[in-house]
Amino acid sequence: LVDKQGKMISGAFLIQDGTKYYYIYNILEGIPKTITRYNEAVAVDSQDEAIVYALSMEPFKVEDKEFIGIVGQTLVNDVRKHMTVDSFNKRGNSLLIDKDGYYIVNYSYKNGIGQQDNMFENLAKANFQAGFSLDKLKTDLQNNKEFACSYTLAGIPYNLTVLPLEAVDWSLAVTVPNSVFMDQSKEFIFFTMLLLVTVVLIFLIMIAGIFRTWKMSMEARAAADAKS
């Protein structure tokens, strides 16, 4: 909780001066919400990188303290655990990036505090397809556009989709290797062929059954005619 003097009182009963943090200043200025990545030792019971959420709220009093906002956090490492596209058997990656291409949540655990990977740098040697380019990617990202493109990096083709997020100045970048779609296509073709063969077999069995019934009927009629 944040009081009207900018002091932060945490769930661990730690009291700190929050005015040195710009997101606390935003609460004091009445800005409804601030969401940011914090690259230093976070002042809310943590020594890890975190996504910090600062929200203004209707003032309320507890004894002689008046509170005007609340600050929460999600550790970057915890966010990273949920940044894999499970629908592609965890072969794709979904990452938050800012307009300068820096990952809000790094793909690798190896990056230390304050170290951020950059998508533009990672794609510097990529070969884009269909008239796309790294410059166009930068322009579309900075203009808050939704787009998709294909590229090859280190001999591996990928598909990239970028979706701007509301309420924050970030975008969601989803990267999936082309091999995922090829594998899915192979599975689709296999099951389609299996279904087709099954339908043909059922059809042939039905035809054989009809022919057998017709033959038995003709034999029965011939036997009846012979007796008469």
Side-chain angles (χ1 to χ4, degrees):
L1 290 173
V2 180
D3 69 14
K4 64 180 182 180
Q5 281 77 40
K7 290 183 179 179
M8 297 188 298
I9 302 176
S10 73
F13 302 105
L14 296 176
I15 300 176
Q16 300 185 40
D17 180 11
T19 55
K20 60 182 178 180
Y21 304 111
Y22 86 93
Y23 50 85
I24 299 298
Y25 178 79
N26 287 349
I27 290 178
L28 296 175
E29 290 295 308
I31 296 175
K33 56 188 173 184
T34 303
I35 303 176
T36 185
R37 172 186 168 126
Y38 204 78
N39 289 332
E40 301 176 15
V42 183
V44 191
D45 305 334
S46 173
Q47 295 297 314
D48 297 319
E49 292 175 301
I51 306 299
V52 176
Y53 314 86
L55 305 175
S56 298
M57 62 184 183
E58 289 294 325
F60 70 94
K61 284 188 176 183
V62 177
E63 297 180 351
D64 61 337
K65 290 286 186 181
E66 183 177 358
F67 296 98
I68 61 172
I70 187 170
V71 177
Q73 69 178 28
T74 301
L75 297 182
V76 165
N77 284 342
D78 290 338
V79 175
R80 186 184 290 109
K81 296 175 184 177
H82 302 285
M83 296 301 288
T84 301
V85 185
D86 292 332
S87 57
F88 298 111
N89 295 321
K90 296 186 177 182
R91 294 169 64 184
N93 297 303
S94 54
L95 299 167
L96 294 175
I97 55 175
D98 64 17
K99 291 189 180 301
D100 294 320
Y102 286 101
Y103 296 118
I104 305 303
V105 178
N106 291 323
Y107 174 68
S108 173
Y109 285 90
K110 296 180 180 179
N111 296 90
I113 291 178
Q115 297 178 339
Q116 288 179 267
D117 289 331
N118 186 282
M119 185 175 72
F120 299 156
E121 294 177 2
N122 291 345
L123 296 181
K125 296 183 179 180
N127 294 316
F128 289 88
Q129 301 175 8
F132 216 85
S133 67
L134 183 59
D135 288 337
K136 178 172 173 52
L137 187 152
K138 292 179 180 179
T139 300
D140 287 352
L141 181 64
Q142 292 167 355
N143 290 332
N144 212 37
K145 288 185 178 181
E146 175 182 335
F147 62 91
C149 63
S150 299
Y151 65 89
T152 301
L153 183 64
I156 302 175
Y158 294 92
N159 287 291
L160 170 66
T161 301
V162 176
L163 304 171
L165 302 178
E166 296 181 1
V168 291
D169 204 23
W170 301 337
S171 295
L172 176 67
V174 181
T175 304
V176 183
N178 280 10
S179 58
V180 170
F181 302 105
M182 294 297 294
D183 292 344
Q184 289 184 341
S185 297
K186 291 177 181 178
E187 290 179 3
F188 175 76
I189 293 173
F190 172 76
F191 285 112
T192 300
M193 292 299 296
L194 182 62
L195 178 61
L196 181 61
V197 170
T198 302
V199 170
V200 170
L201 287 176
I202 293 174
F203 179 74
L204 292 176
I205 291 172
M206 290 177 61
I207 293 297
I210 292 172
F211 178 77
R212 184 170 181 275
T213 301
W214 174 80
K215 183 177 180 181
M216 292 176 62
S217 176
M218 292 300 293
E219 290 176 350
R221 181 177 296 179
D225 290 343
K227 290 180 181 180
S228 62

